[in-house]
């Protein structure tokens, strides 16, 4: 079941700030929490799995989805999980950890809650035969060319075939034959989508200490079906389900170290709330520990 877990943090020292790039550190801390919680084999399997991985993390973010700064009032990171067997261990491990350190900045856990959770059948059932989809790219989105496409290159522009194609690959990889998308969904991705509006800029994201950063796009982008009447309603629902799925899966390369965090259709889904209208978040809180 796709789920998104939100971890709210408070700094141990007032006014202290983390490094500007925290994606790899958050990823390492999440896996360390699993190992410390007795899930060593699971942590190793998650780390060693080939893409598309079954989880995604964000860097440290504030209430405006930016790296925490002097004016920030909140600090959080989020973990998306795409398989049922990951949800309970990851939630338990994150809840059990009381202290975190990023760079030289220490944090204590303030709150841990399930920001959103929707089984794959529910994602499909909630989908509508829409004809346009908008995304807010909050951390850099980038794609890497394959080994048979010449020199491996970064492709930071989120063209519709790459963005929806990446979501399709993740869906297939983590549902198998249990929740297939409607017939015609791949054909709609390949032959009927175009970008109709965008406001994007390029930025860099650290993926590993000592390794050059990757470039990616952040901003907003909207996709629309061309000749929508030629796309069957079930296939349009398939695209809508993939757009909703992006909240959990992330988009593009290196989502396991903080890239590709996107919000689909900002008017419908907000971070820290359930993806299902009217549902209440399931919250597990920890009191701040004095140290």
């Amino acid at each position: 079941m796709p789920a998104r877990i939100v971890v709210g943090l408070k700094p141990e020292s007032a006014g202290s700030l983390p490094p500007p790039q925290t994606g790899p550190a958050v990823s390492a801390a999440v896996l360390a929490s699993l190992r410390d919680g007795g899930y060593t084999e699971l942590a190793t399997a998650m780390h060693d799995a080939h893409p598309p991985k079954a989880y995604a993390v964000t860097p440290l973010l504030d209430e405006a989805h930016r790296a925490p700064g002097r004016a920030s009032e909140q600090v959080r990171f989020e973990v998306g999980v795409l398989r049922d067997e990951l949800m309970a261990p990851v939630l338990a491990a994150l809840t059990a950890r009381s202290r975190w350190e990023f760079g030289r900045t220490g944090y204590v856990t303030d709150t841990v809650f399930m920001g959103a959770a929707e089984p794959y059948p529910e994602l499909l059932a909630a989908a509508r035969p829409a004809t346009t989809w908008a995304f807010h790219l909050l951390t850099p989105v980038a794609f890497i060319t394959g080994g048979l496409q010449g020199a491996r290159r970064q492709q930071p522009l989120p063209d519709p075939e790459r963005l929806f194609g990446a979501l399709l690959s993740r869906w297939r990889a983590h549902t198998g034959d249990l929740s297939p998308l409607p017939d015609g969904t791949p054909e709609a991705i390949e032959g009927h989508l175009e970008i109709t509006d965008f406001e994007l800029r390029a930025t860099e994201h650290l993926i590993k200490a000592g390794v050059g950063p990757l470039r990616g796009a952040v901003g907003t982008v909207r996709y629309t079906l061309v000749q929508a009447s030629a796309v069957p309603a079930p296939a349009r629902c398939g695209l809508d389900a993939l757009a909703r799925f992006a909240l959990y899966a992330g988009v593009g390369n290196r989502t396991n170290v903080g890239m590709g965090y996107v919000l689909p259709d900002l008017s419908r889904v907000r971070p820290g709330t359930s993806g299902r209208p009217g549902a209440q978040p399931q919250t597990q809180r920890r009191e701040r520990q004095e140290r």
Side-chain angles (χ1 to χ4, degrees):
M1 174 170 65
R4 194 151 199 96
I5 302 167
V6 183
V7 179
L9 305 172
K10 288 186 179 296
E12 290 181 320
S13 301
S16 59
L17 293 176
Q21 295 271 5
T22 56
V26 171
S27 181
V30 169
L31 295 176
S33 296
L34 284 164
R35 289 192 291 269
D36 293 344
Y39 303 104
T40 302
E41 291 184 1
L42 178 60
T44 300
M46 290 170 61
H47 177 272
D48 294 345
H50 293 293
K53 293 181 182 288
Y55 70 102
V57 306
T58 72
L60 294 185
L61 299 171
D62 68 6
E63 65 278 4
H65 317 306
R66 296 187 295 253
R70 296 293 179 192
S72 299
E73 298 180 359
Q74 301 174 12
V75 179
R76 77 181 195 282
F77 67 85
E78 302 187 15
V79 181
V81 296
L82 306 182
R83 289 181 176 268
D84 290 355
E85 61 267 26
L86 297 184
M87 185 169 62
V90 172
L91 180 60
L94 296 178
T95 302
R97 184 157 181 170
S98 60
R99 186 180 185 276
W100 310 79
E101 189 167 324
F102 304 103
R104 298 181 179 179
T105 304
Y107 289 89
V108 293
T109 302
D110 180 49
T111 181
V112 179
F113 64 92
M114 190 77 72
E118 294 176 274
Y120 288 99
E122 289 190 14
L123 279 170
L124 285 170
R128 298 293 178 262
T131 59
T132 183
W133 299 269
F135 296 87
H136 190 173
L137 283 52
L138 297 173
T139 65
V141 171
F143 306 89
I144 304 298
T145 59
L148 300 179
Q149 298 173 290
R152 288 177 64 83
R153 290 156 287 145
Q154 301 175 41
Q155 301 285 356
L157 295 178
D159 64 71
E161 292 85 358
R162 285 195 178 95
L163 186 140
F164 277 90
L167 291 169
L168 176 64
S169 295
R170 280 172 168 77
W171 183 289
R172 286 174 166 172
H174 301 302
T175 64
D177 297 327
L178 298 179
S179 296
L181 289 162
D183 291 342
T185 302
E187 290 77 12
I189 293 172
E190 296 169 3
H192 286 272
L193 284 170
E194 69 177 8
I195 294 177
T196 51
D197 194 18
F198 63 91
E199 187 173 344
L200 299 170
R201 62 182 176 87
T203 188
E204 294 183 335
H205 186 93
L206 178 70
I207 60 168
K208 186 178 182 181
V211 177
L214 291 183
R215 294 183 304 277
V218 295
T220 58
V221 60
R222 179 175 293 276
Y223 305 95
T224 301
L225 281 174
V226 178
Q227 295 182 357
S229 60
V231 179
R236 283 183 273 145
C237 288
L239 294 175
D240 199 56
L242 288 175
R244 185 95 168 212
F245 180 56
L247 174 68
Y248 307 98
V251 171
N253 193 52
R254 298 289 188 166
T255 54
N256 64 306
V257 291
M259 295 187 73
Y261 173 39
V262 305
L263 287 182
D265 193 349
L266 295 179
S267 65
R268 289 170 49 189
V269 180
R270 302 187 307 278
T273 65
S274 171
R276 293 174 291 174
Q280 298 297 316
Q282 302 173 18
T283 305
Q284 301 189 31
R285 294 187 178 275
R286 295 185 59 95
E287 295 297 328
R288 183 175 180 179
Q289 299 182 5
E290 299 294 335
R291 293 183 181 270

